Amino acid sequence: MRPLRYSINVTLDGCCDHRAMIPDEDLHRHAMENIAQADALLFGRVTYELMEAGWRSPASVAAMPEWTKPFAQTINAAKKYVVSSTLDRVDWNAELVCGDLGKAVQQLKSEPGNGLFTGGVTLPQALAELGLIDEYEFVVHPRLVGHGPTLFAGLSKSVDLKLVDRLEFRSGAVAMRYEPTR
């Protein structure tokens, strides 16, 4: 069974709004390596549309710093699955995931390969509720922003985690990787 890995950037005060983060080369390289290790990406509609708007267009990528281009190439090439009840079609090397979320994701996980990778806020909370996330990575930025959104607000039950790895970046951000203790 291939694992489902989740990664999100978050500030010290819990904000996970991507606009609150300060992007840099190390963080983009790390995200690219995470995505490159997966067989496919699993996105909710909001994250899919956000990533597509930011990374699909050659014109928008061309205007970005040179160090963002490997990330752009990696995410553009990646297979994507999109969970949505409002979209009726997707492209950008993507297909819709319909029906029962738990069954659909279990089917994706049961396929052979290296793993699936997800990000965002709403879909990962639903996946955590179902006990489907095998690895959590929080990239904690040394920043206080005083606003949200925050992670896992309203989670119905605790998820106990065990720290399995950590990586410090020159910016002071720290990637901490956890596995559920189940």
Side-chain angles (χ1 to χ4, degrees):
M1 180 169 303
R2 57 186 180 173
L4 175 59
R5 297 178 180 101
Y6 170 56
S7 183
I8 188 83
N9 289 287
V10 61
T11 62
L12 280 169
D13 59 348
C15 176
C16 55
D17 183 333
H18 71 281
R19 296 167 296 189
M21 309 305 151
I22 301 171
D24 68 24
E25 187 172 357
D26 288 342
L27 294 168
H28 270 79
R29 183 180 310 107
H30 180 71
M32 180 201 64
E33 290 168 357
N34 278 343
I35 290 171
Q37 291 176 11
D39 303 307
L41 308 177
L42 179 64
F43 289 148
R45 179 193 55 82
V46 172
T47 302
Y48 169 76
E49 289 177 341
L50 177 77
M51 298 303 260
E52 182 184 32
W55 298 103
R56 183 175 187 177
S57 166
S60 65
V61 173
M64 294 182 180
E66 192 64 33
W67 48 264
T68 63
K69 294 192 172 122
F71 178 85
Q73 292 167 343
T74 302
I75 197 165
N76 277 310
K79 170 72 177 162
K80 298 159 197 78
Y81 294 100
V82 182
V83 176
S84 175
S85 61
T86 57
L87 295 175
D88 54 8
R89 67 177 192 80
V90 292
D91 54 10
W92 194 40
N93 198 26
E95 66 182 73
L96 280 172
V97 173
C98 301
D100 181 89
L101 177 64
K103 288 179 184 175
V105 173
Q106 282 287 25
Q107 174 61 39
L108 291 172
K109 288 178 68 169
S110 72
E111 296 172 5
N114 296 321
L116 302 165
F117 185 80
T118 192
V121 178
T122 306
L123 175 62
Q125 179 163 337
L127 296 168
E129 290 279 1
L130 294 168
L132 293 172
I133 298 176
D134 300 295
E135 183 178 290
Y136 294 79
E137 179 186 67
F138 303 101
V139 181
V140 182
H141 294 253
R143 184 169 230 214
L144 303 172
V145 296
H147 62 81
T150 59
L151 296 175
F152 302 110
L155 193 64
S156 69
K157 59 186 181 280
S158 297
V159 177
D160 293 321
L161 304 171
K162 175 180 76 170
L163 181 67
V164 294
D165 194 19
R166 69 187 299 276
L167 173 65
E168 289 186 38
F169 298 96
R170 287 178 288 179
S171 65
V174 179
M176 294 178 290
R177 193 166 46 94
Y178 296 87
E179 291 177 351
T181 58
R182 296 189 177 133

